[in-house]
Amino acid sequence: MDHSQPETIESWLNWKWQIQNRIKTQEALSANLELTKEERSSFDSCSAFFEFSVTPYYLGLADSKDPHCPIRLQIVPRQEELIRGPFEKQDPLAEETHMPVKGVTHRYPDRALWYLSHVCAVYCRFCTRKRKVSNSFHTPGKEEWNQALAYFRSHSEIKEVILSGGDPLNLSNDKLDYLLGELKSIPHINQVRIHSRYPVTLPMRIDSELCSVFKKHFPIYLVTHFNHPKEITPLVKERISLLIQKGNVIVLNQGVLLKGINDSAEILKELFYGLTAIGIKPYYLHQCDEVWGSSGFRVEIAKGVEIMKQIRGKISGLSVPLYVVDLTGGGGKIPLPSEYLAEKTDHSYIFRNYQDELYEISY
Ligand SMILES: *Cc1c(COP(=O)(O)O)cnc(C)c1O
Ligand code: SF4
């Protein structure tokens, strides 16, 4: 039976209904999508390692017939997930080794990443945190929060705390209000950021109550995660507008370059312009991390560099994100080479511009 259609539109727009009615089994998925033989045969072995889950809303964006649909490729398990490439790691960014207190990764001196939940509405098959996300063996509670808060208070070099997960917007509004209040009361904390994919996979989470919480703690920076223009729906547009105008939130996007999903200049231009049109500034485009089972998603760096070259200068600079790689082993993020420098002489630099013309400037 198909459980993905509610009785009323009110239920559909209720984020808790969407969470409670997530599609989690092959049987329920088959009622919505025509699965290929390969998708059917790899479903169980893949989802045993990393849970399958999708909201009715996000599944509704997928093409039921086309196995190459960019939404479908992000959510339906495929055989490649079982491959362990020679460079791939379970924890590619060494987040667990830079963990001074449980739930906090403190790699860069001035900012710390805080995992507040292991749950997401939709599990992205390329997730870097498969090792813990979806694995609800442990939900951080008040005691861990207090340890993390004590750590932030006693480390005056920390200027920013980034709420992450899993999805931090999985927490109730009361809990978020409490945590944001605590963070904002620490004098050396300059800014608070939230990393959430709910604006993409569960936009109904952004309602006026949540916006009141954000407004109270102004300014809040929210970095979301759109990967394809198909994800920018009328509901997304409406709720992002609410987030900005009622929540006073500054919204940015970090996407991932994904094979067969968005690895073309045309699709990315449409995505970046589409985001700018609804008030979201493209911040980063990530090279896909070398996590176990990600080879089916990873695009060669050379191709990524070439794609970015077709974008930089061709569309508004406001709409262009920085293409970065988070170094496997925990080295942090670096911008990928853009190869604009054609030659360096003893008195000048010669650059190749976006139209392939050479320009010489002095040191
Ligand atoms: C990505 C990341 C950050 C944030 O980096 P920005 O470049 O400031 O966006 C902070 N801490 C960790 C551990 C990260 O991986
Ligand atoms: S939303 Fe982020 S943390 Fe959650 S499954 Fe997707 S990539 Fe992983």
Side-chain angles (χ1 to χ4, degrees):
M1 201 184 129
D2 180 6
H3 292 279
S4 67
Q5 289 303 319
E7 301 280 312
T8 63
I9 184 78
E10 285 75 25
S11 304
W12 181 261
L13 289 173
N14 179 331
W15 70 277
K16 289 185 177 153
W17 183 91
Q18 290 280 340
I19 291 270
Q20 278 155 9
N21 289 277
R22 280 177 296 171
I23 293 88
K24 293 187 147 199
T25 62
Q26 182 177 174
E27 197 190 2
L29 181 63
S30 310
N32 291 274
L33 298 185
E34 274 178 30
L35 294 180
T36 64
K37 200 165 155 235
E38 194 255 292
E39 285 169 334
R40 273 182 275 126
S41 69
S42 42
F43 190 94
D44 287 342
S45 39
C46 292
S47 58
F49 176 65
F50 182 48
E51 202 182 305
F52 168 80
S53 168
V54 61
T55 52
Y57 163 81
Y58 195 70
L59 183 59
L61 306 183
D63 189 308
S64 63
K65 297 204 163 44
D66 178 12
H68 303 293
C69 161
I71 303 296
R72 182 160 165 162
L73 290 174
Q74 294 185 61
I75 54 178
V76 178
R78 278 177 290 151
Q79 222 154 16
E80 286 106 312
E81 283 181 31
L82 301 171
I83 300 171
R84 301 280 172 270
F87 287 90
E88 291 176 358
K89 295 203 157 54
Q90 187 181 19
D91 177 15
L93 310 182
E95 291 175 324
E96 305 293 330
T97 37
H98 292 105
M99 196 165 277
V101 288
K102 210 167 174 187
V104 176
T105 295
H106 189 186
R107 176 176 10 255
Y108 300 109
D110 68 325
R111 50 216 194 274
L113 208 55
W114 190 9
Y115 312 108
L116 287 169
S117 150
H118 290 142
V119 177
C120 298
V122 173
Y123 292 120
C124 317
R125 304 317 300 176
F126 47 86
C127 180
T128 297
R129 299 197 183 125
K130 278 176 194 169
R131 66 181 186 279
K132 58 179 176 188
V133 166
S134 98
N135 216 326
S136 42
F137 59 90
H138 174 80
T139 305
K142 202 123 197 182
E143 200 174 313
E144 271 178 43
W145 289 358
N146 289 336
Q147 283 169 12
L149 287 166
Y151 180 82
F152 302 144
R153 273 191 210 100
S154 62
H155 286 257
S156 57
E157 74 277 18
I158 298 179
K159 298 280 176 276
E160 181 179 58
V161 174
I162 303 170
L163 311 188
S164 189
D167 210 300
L169 295 191
N170 209 58
L171 268 60
S172 69
N173 293 342
D174 285 347
K175 286 179 177 163
L176 287 168
D177 187 22
Y178 168 76
L179 294 171
L180 293 173
E182 289 295 304
L183 289 172
K184 291 270 177 168
S185 75
I186 303 174
H188 55 264
I189 290 191
N190 191 64
Q191 61 215 42
V192 176
R193 193 195 314 185
I194 298 175
H195 281 178
S196 169
R197 209 176 181 207
Y198 279 8
V200 184
T201 57
L202 186 68
M204 35 298 263
R205 175 68 185 93
I206 304 163
D207 53 20
S208 32
E209 289 76 40
L210 180 65
C211 288
S212 316
V213 172
F214 288 154
K215 188 179 178 138
K216 185 170 152 194
H217 301 289
F218 175 85
I220 295 293
Y221 291 83
L222 188 143
V223 182
T224 185
H225 179 179
F226 286 86
N227 289 326
H228 194 276
K230 257 186 107 169
E231 294 168 338
I232 306 173
T233 63
L235 183 66
V236 162
K237 192 174 168 187
E238 177 197 304
R239 299 304 170 104
I240 294 295
S241 165
L242 195 69
L243 191 58
I244 297 168
Q245 302 194 69
K246 292 282 188 302
N248 291 354
V249 174
I250 296 105
V251 190
L252 303 110
N253 189 67
Q254 52 180 351
V256 185
L257 184 61
L258 296 166
K259 196 197 287 179
I261 295 171
N262 61 12
D263 54 344
S264 90
E266 286 319 305
I267 292 171
L268 288 176
K269 278 192 240 178
E270 191 185 337
L271 173 67
F272 299 152
Y273 261 150
L275 290 170
T276 315
I278 63 167
I280 302 179
K281 158 83 185 103
Y283 173 53
Y284 281 150
L285 176 68
H286 286 266
Q287 174 67 8
C288 187
D289 294 329
E290 292 181 300
V291 65
W292 278 355
S294 59
S295 59
F297 289 106
R298 230 174 11 259
V299 178
E300 281 175 29
I301 288 182
K303 183 171 180 190
V305 167
E306 188 48 42
I307 290 173
M308 287 309 290
K309 212 171 163 188
Q310 291 166 38
I311 293 176
R312 165 69 60 191
K314 305 280 167 63
I315 70 170
S316 164
L318 252 190
S319 307
V320 182
L322 193 64
Y323 178 36
V324 295
V325 62
D326 218 332
L327 298 171
T328 306
K333 290 188 236 329
I334 56 154
L336 280 160
S338 43
E339 291 166 4
Y340 286 100
L341 184 64
E343 200 189 330
K344 201 175 157 197
T345 73
D346 57 7
H347 64 279
S348 71
Y349 289 108
I350 301 171
F351 290 105
R352 193 181 300 281
N353 79 350
Y354 72 103
Q355 285 174 319
D356 258 346
E357 301 153 344
L358 295 175
Y359 285 82
E360 183 173 17
I361 64 161
S362 64
Y363 279 156

